[in-house]
Amino acid sequence: MAVRKDLIIGGAVAVVALVSGGIYLSSGSGGNYADCVASNVAGGLDNFGTSFTLRNQKDEQVTDQEVFSKPSLLYFGYTYCPDVCPLDSARNAEAAEILKERGIELQTVFITVDPDRDTPEVLADFTDSFPGDMIGLTGTQEEIAAVNKGWRNYYKLNNQEDNEYYLVDHMTNTYLIMPGNETVEFFDRNKSPEEIADSAACFIQAAS
């Protein structure tokens, strides 16, 4: 993973185009979590998500129902990301650790947008660098495209001229998924670990 580490270091001078998830903001959602919902999403968050079968960092085939058997923070990124993905993943892991100290279980899930480079072995190295038991998921290009479409996640591989050392444009939202693959909230990059932890706790307690 020396190459990935070099890319992270080089990220200080790299310009990465990131697309905001704000383009989907519109009307709110309610239900049992009405007192917890802070974001407003066109069509409601009920329209986010999809079923899937992918491979985890242990190279095991897993379904969405198996992955989302407990409250989860879901993030789409790639392990060769120079700076944004490691920082966001660390923040999400910290939010989960905050809730762990409160006796509330929250797991973190990382789905790659770069499956050609992000093999299960590479994902294992990446997820092991964060506290907790982060789940890393990969698959074929077609499987990854379908999952990203389900969560309306934009991404673009910039590998037209270099298929080894390329960057990927992608959205940076983190989604809160409740057991059964129910998307109930999302967080942008400006949210702190404490804010995410407090929001997730509201949903988890409302579901209990």
Side-chain angles (χ1 to χ4, degrees):
M1 294 304 296
V3 173
R4 184 178 71 81
K5 293 177 181 177
D6 290 343
L7 285 176
I8 291 176
I9 294 173
V13 295
V15 178
V16 183
L18 297 173
V19 180
S20 169
I23 57 176
Y24 296 111
L25 297 184
S26 180
S27 59
S29 58
N32 296 333
Y33 305 121
D35 292 336
C36 304
V37 176
S39 61
N40 296 310
V41 181
L45 284 164
D46 290 344
N47 296 319
F48 280 63
T50 185
S51 59
F52 60 74
T53 300
L54 298 173
R55 304 201 74 81
N56 64 18
Q57 73 267 37
K58 299 177 182 178
D59 202 16
E60 301 168 334
Q61 184 171 283
V62 292
T63 66
D64 58 293
Q65 295 299 315
E66 292 170 321
V67 171
F68 299 127
S69 61
K70 60 185 68 174
S72 309
L73 293 178
L74 169 62
Y75 185 83
F76 293 90
Y78 65 114
T79 67
Y80 289 80
C81 183
D83 45 20
V84 173
C85 301
L87 290 174
D88 289 352
S89 296
R91 178 204 60 178
N92 291 347
E94 184 177 348
E97 288 296 300
I98 291 172
L99 288 191
K100 182 179 180 180
E101 294 176 357
R102 302 182 193 174
I104 301 174
E105 188 173 25
L106 177 68
Q107 71 178 4
T108 54
V109 180
F110 180 96
I111 298 183
T112 183
V113 294
D114 185 21
D116 287 348
R117 292 186 294 184
D118 285 343
T119 63
E121 181 181 8
V122 172
L123 282 174
D125 183 76
F126 181 81
T127 56
D128 284 347
S129 63
F130 303 100
D133 297 319
M134 182 179 292
I135 297 174
L137 297 173
T138 188
T140 66
Q141 287 282 1
E142 293 75 18
E143 289 169 340
I144 292 300
V147 173
N148 278 268
K149 182 179 180 180
W151 270 276
R152 305 186 191 182
N153 185 65
Y154 168 88
Y155 72 102
K156 178 183 178 183
L157 304 176
N158 296 306
N159 59 352
Q160 294 80 12
E161 298 180 1
D162 187 338
N163 61 7
E164 185 175 5
Y165 303 108
Y166 58 88
L167 297 175
V168 183
D169 301 339
H170 64 95
M171 291 170 64
T172 57
N173 290 329
T174 291
Y175 300 91
L176 176 60
I177 316 295
M178 298 299 285
N181 196 355
E182 179 186 10
T183 304
V184 296
E185 185 61 286
F186 79 90
F187 311 102
D188 60 31
R189 295 204 68 232
N190 295 322
K191 294 296 183 182
S192 68
E194 293 77 14
E195 289 175 316
I196 292 177
D198 288 342
S199 177
C202 181
F203 284 94
I204 295 170
Q205 291 166 348
S208 62

